[in-house]
Amino acid sequence: MSNYVTAIGLDVHARSISACAFDPMTGEVSRARFGYDPASVAEWALGFESPKAVYESGPTGFHLCRALRALGVDCAVGAVSKMHRPAADRGRKNDRRDAEWLARLLACRNVVEVW
C-alpha cells in the first residue's frame, strides 16, 4: 500500500476532466477543471504533497492512467461496480460531486482497482 497524503478524484469525460484534491489530515479541498489534457492535470496534481489520483473505469479507458503515471503522478482506475453510492446522492449527480466523492473514497482506501 502506497503512502500518499493527498487523494485526488477525477471525473473523466471525452473532452473534460473535473478534479478534486482532498487532504484527509487537514480536511482541505481544492477543485479544478481541465480539458482532456493529462499534462495539465499532472502539473496541478504535483502541486500537492504526495498525490494519488483515481477515476472510474469506463469508456475513457486506461490512457489517462498511463499518461499520469508517465508524468510522475500515481494513478488508479477504480471498479465502478464496487463503488457504492448513498441513496441520497442519486438525484444530485454532477461532475464536481463525483470528483469529490472519488477523492474521499480514495482517502478512506475504499477503492478497488481495475487492472
Side-chain angles (χ1 to χ4, degrees):
M1 187 175 290
S2 65
N3 293 325
Y4 55 90
V5 174
T6 306
I8 298 175
L10 302 172
D11 190 54
V12 181
H13 297 281
R15 294 192 176 110
S16 67
I17 299 172
S18 293
C20 178
F22 174 64
D23 184 342
M25 298 299 187
T26 64
E28 182 179 353
V29 174
S30 180
R31 293 181 180 87
R33 188 161 173 86
F34 305 95
Y36 192 88
D37 180 19
S40 297
V41 175
E43 182 181 346
W44 178 76
L46 290 172
F48 299 101
E49 184 179 354
S50 302
K52 181 171 181 172
V54 66
Y55 65 94
E56 294 174 324
S57 61
T60 56
F62 290 89
H63 173 264
L64 179 62
C65 184
R66 285 190 213 105
L68 288 176
R69 286 179 180 167
L71 294 167
V73 176
D74 188 11
C75 185
V77 179
V80 176
S81 62
K82 302 291 184 183
M83 296 178 185
H84 300 288
R85 286 192 177 274
D89 284 353
R90 291 208 172 110
R92 303 179 308 174
K93 185 172 175 7
N94 63 38
D95 296 347
R96 186 183 57 80
R97 280 185 195 268
D98 286 350
E100 184 173 344
W101 177 69
L102 285 168
R104 290 183 187 276
L105 275 181
L106 183 62
C108 296
R109 293 172 173 25
N110 200 11
V111 172
V112 177
E113 293 187 36
V114 174
W115 301 99

